[in-house]
Amino acid sequence: MFDASSISKRTWTVFSLTCTIVFLVRWHYDSFGIPEKYLDFHGSTEHDDLSLANATLGFSHLTAISSEDESSPLAWRIAGLRGASNRTGIEMGVAPRRDATVKELHRVQQGGEGKHPKEGSALAWIAHVDNLRRFVDNNGTEETLMAFEDDVDWDVDIRKHLAPSGPIAAAIRNITGSKHQDDIQSYPFGLEWDVLWLGHCGFEVLDGHSKIAFEDQSILLPEQMKGMLGRNVYANLRPHTRELYTRIAGLCTFAYGVTQEGARKLISIGEKGGQGFDFSTHVACKAGFLRCVGVMPELFHQMKAVGGNMKSSISESNAAAGLDWGNSGLAEGGTEDPSEEVRYFTFNVPYSARCNADRDDSPEERVQCLPNKRDWENYQV
């Protein structure tokens, strides 16, 4: 029979300490928001077809960062993300929300060098770093992560574009000197990079870069696309040509991949604070601290929701929560008319997965959600 009195005091101490550690780990696990909330995914995560990316687009994990309150009547971001994911057979989690402490905000806003971010950008910094920490802390079981902002959009053929045997993945492996060329199904992009900038609003090509260009009939013409600096971003791009570069410094973090090493480097930057997340990443790429690879034109871009009361939705709900970078997206001279019907569009994406969420793949069914002429002039990317 079991006799509790026979157990030594030391044994009880060890047992009690173990229980305490397990409790604290479990508390950290739960309070940090793990596991993520997954979008309603109905596809398969496994397949052997190298001409099509898997459900996580060749990455170990996909996560969207969001602060949107889905119960709000003005909410549209996560609902659209859910529709786009199911339309294209993508499995994606949504990073949990949490309240940042005053100490955390102060550290991000007052740390580092250069321009200090406002509260919204500081909260975004914290959300991105939290997401990276979850990835790094997952016992090394995941080698790559793709992070998205919650208004991101992509083409309906994204899984074809990022196929292991496709030209984009092949260019990334070749230009970075991948050590995993013999297993492109497991490592379609290799691991010899820190940040893979696939969703941006333009990037600066740095000295010492390498470049691969290849034909891609799926992309828009250069004059149909717009970047942070206007049309000039794509002015030198040949029609129906996609380019891949090493040594770039991007703008906007609509979608970016990281390796374990890249995530740790970004976390170290975040711990210092200062400037916005995308700009801090830009600076680290430019300084050579991060090995940054980018594709032009981008594969992911943010969707815009304009008209009606969407301006108030953005400024009150999302900017305050830190994921809209503190503005509505209007360029100087832009206007919002509350009486106008809400409309949605995405720069630079030929066939929006969000707009085609309830449509099939037949050519007559697909629709484009590109900005009209007025939107093109009035709205930033």
Side-chain angles (χ1 to χ4, degrees), residues 190-233:
L191 295 172
E192 286 66 43
W193 44 270
D194 293 326
V195 176
L196 188 54
W197 223 316
L198 300 182
H200 54 78
C201 54
F203 56 64
E204 181 180 355
V205 179
L206 308 172
D207 290 341
H209 69 272
S210 298
K211 170 186 171 182
I212 293 178
F214 49 91
E215 182 180 359
D216 188 339
Q217 291 293 326
S218 72
I219 65 178
L220 298 171
L221 294 172
E223 60 267 24
Q224 293 177 288
M225 295 183 286
K226 184 177 182 180
M228 180 64 79
L229 303 177
R231 295 177 188 267
N232 294 335
V233 172

Side-chain angles (χ1 to χ4, degrees), residues 9-246:
K9 182 178 180 180
R10 180 179 179 183
T11 301
W12 273 115
T13 301
V14 171
F15 175 75
S16 300
L17 181 60
T18 301
C19 290
T20 301
I21 292 172
V22 170
F23 171 78
L24 288 174
V25 169
R26 179 66 183 175
W27 176 85
H28 173 75
Y29 185 94
D30 290 339
S31 64
F32 206 57
I34 301 174
E36 299 173 347
K37 177 180 70 174
Y38 275 80
L39 299 177
D40 305 324
F41 175 69
H42 304 296
S44 171
T45 59
E46 298 181 4
H47 74 109
D48 299 320
D49 185 1
L50 296 180
S51 67
L52 195 69
N54 65 12
T56 54
L57 301 179
F59 295 86
S60 303
H61 192 70
L62 305 179
T63 304
I65 300 169
S66 180
S67 63
E68 183 179 63
D69 179 1
E70 287 191 79
S71 66
S72 168
L74 296 175
W76 60 274
R77 296 179 175 216
I78 296 300
L81 201 59
R82 182 179 293 111
S85 295
N86 277 307
R87 171 64 176 81
T88 49
I90 290 176
E91 183 182 38
M92 183 184 302
V94 178
R97 299 165 58 187
R98 73 176 180 91
D99 294 327
T101 66
V102 173
K103 184 178 181 180
E104 286 177 304
L105 281 173
H106 184 268
R107 173 179 54 78
V108 174
Q109 289 182 286
Q110 301 304 318
E113 300 177 356
K115 185 178 179 180
H116 297 302
K118 296 181 180 179
E119 182 174 332
S121 289
L123 286 166
W125 234 132
I126 293 167
H128 280 279
V129 170
D130 279 355
N131 189 44
L132 294 169
R133 282 202 178 105
R134 278 189 294 272
F135 167 58
V136 168
D137 290 346
N138 199 17
N139 298 320
T141 58
E142 297 177 340
E143 293 180 287
T144 56
L145 168 74
M146 185 73 160
F148 302 89
E149 294 181 358
D150 63 354
D151 55 0
V152 73
D153 198 2
W154 56 87
D155 190 82
V156 293
D157 288 327
I158 189 64
R159 291 179 65 185
K160 292 180 182 178
H161 296 324
L162 290 177
S165 62
I168 294 175
I172 294 170
R173 293 194 302 271
N174 291 336
I175 207 168
T176 60
S178 172
K179 299 176 182 177
H180 299 85
Q181 294 281 13
D182 58 341
D183 187 6
I184 65 173
Q185 184 169 3
S186 301
Y187 301 97
F189 314 114
L191 295 172
E192 286 66 43
W193 44 270
D194 293 326
V195 176
L196 188 54
W197 223 316
L198 300 182
H200 54 78
C201 54
F203 56 64
E204 181 180 355
V205 179
L206 308 172
D207 290 341
H209 69 272
S210 298
K211 170 186 171 182
I212 293 178
F214 49 91
E215 182 180 359
D216 188 339
Q217 291 293 326
S218 72
I219 65 178
L220 298 171
L221 294 172
E223 60 267 24
Q224 293 177 288
M225 295 183 286
K226 184 177 182 180
M228 180 64 79
L229 303 177
R231 295 177 188 267
N232 294 335
V233 172
Y234 303 99
N236 296 322
L237 192 67
R238 295 199 308 272
H240 302 301
T241 302
R242 201 180 292 277
E243 298 176 345
L244 192 97
Y245 292 87
T246 60

Side-chain angles (χ1 to χ4, degrees), residues 330-336 377-379:
L330 277 172
E332 185 177 353
T335 60
E336 288 284 5
E377 298 299 330
N378 284 342
Y379 291 89

